[in-house]
Amino acid sequence: MLVGPGADAHVFQPTPAQARMVAQAQVIFSNGLGFEGWMGRLLKTAGYKGHQIVVGQGIAPQKGAGHGGHSHGPGDVDPHAWQNPRHAITYVSNIAKGLCEADAPRCDAYRRNAAAYTVQLQALDTEIAGAWAAIPAAQRKVITSHDAFGYYAKAYGVTFLAAQGMSTDSEASAKGVGQLVRQIRLENIKALFVESISDPRLIEQLGRETGVRPAGRLYSDSLSEPSGQAGSYLSMIRLNTQALVRAIVAP
């Protein structure tokens, strides 16, 4: 992995050693949808000649919510498509196709694995929809550090509000933070979350100003270490859902 567990792909800076590693690779996978703004420069620097697979290809991009007065306003493409497991099925299909192109003799195995994993993703989607089913739509409101959950929000009818934009590299404005403080108080929002890759100070400030205690940590743009609680995609989405639902229904 170029961007490892707990790291932030928005602000990642490839090293010369990583460029040399890329030059020797047979296949490069990237999310696309504008997520890795540094990828084009890296491939050019490395003189990369192998297969390049954009796993988000074919997904209709959503626009950003544009909350908080930040530089990422409505109309910017949201790259966080993996937050919807139905889109992850498209990722898996693109990955299998890319591996088949790069390694045709093993194509049948890649397709079998993709089919088996797709069944798990379909089950995960059903599980998440079931977890939200008992919560009235008007209650499904969450505050997060940056605008990373738009695809999840649309899939499961949850409203996410963020003081930063879709990139952790954007700054939250005082006006945007003030708007969130008023909204938290007015609508009695209880689900306030720090993200694993984000500076927690912004959420802690919101907590101090509203008296709402942060409810924990969500994994948005990165998994944990493999041995951690969000060491796989399935465990990450499941863990986030459990934390969100628990915070919203808390007395």
Side-chain angles (χ1 to χ4, degrees), residues 52-64:
Q52 185 185 1
I53 312 303
V54 179
V55 299
Q57 187 171 356
I59 291 171
Q62 288 181 199
K63 302 297 186 182

Side-chain angles (χ1 to χ4, degrees), residues 26-49:
Q26 293 172 283
V27 187
I28 293 285
F29 294 100
S30 63
N31 182 76
L33 300 170
F35 186 54
E36 306 97 341
W38 42 267
M39 181 62 77
R41 296 190 301 275
L42 174 61
L43 297 181
K44 186 175 180 180
T45 300
Y48 183 67
K49 298 288 193 293

Side-chain angles (χ1 to χ4, degrees), residues 181-238:
V181 168
R182 287 191 294 276
Q183 192 161 5
I184 290 167
R185 289 173 175 160
L186 185 67
E187 300 182 24
N188 193 29
I189 298 172
K190 297 180 290 184
L192 189 63
F193 283 92
V194 175
E195 291 167 47
S196 61
I197 60 162
S198 297
D199 186 328
R201 288 176 295 183
L202 176 60
I203 294 298
E204 289 167 355
Q205 178 190 345
L206 287 172
R208 284 193 302 272
E209 294 191 21
T210 61
V212 177
R213 186 177 177 183
R217 183 168 64 166
L218 298 177
Y219 289 84
S220 57
D221 292 22
S222 171
L223 301 177
S224 67
E225 293 288 345
S227 60
Q229 59 181 353
S232 72
Y233 174 78
L234 296 171
S235 61
M236 178 189 80
I237 298 293
R238 190 171 281 123

Side-chain angles (χ1 to χ4, degrees), residues 85 89 113-127 232-234 238:
I89 292 170
N113 290 341
Y117 194 60
T118 294
V119 170
Q120 294 184 63
L121 291 170
Q122 289 167 335
L124 178 67
D125 176 41
T126 301
E127 178 186 329
S232 72
Y233 174 78
L234 296 171
R238 190 171 281 123

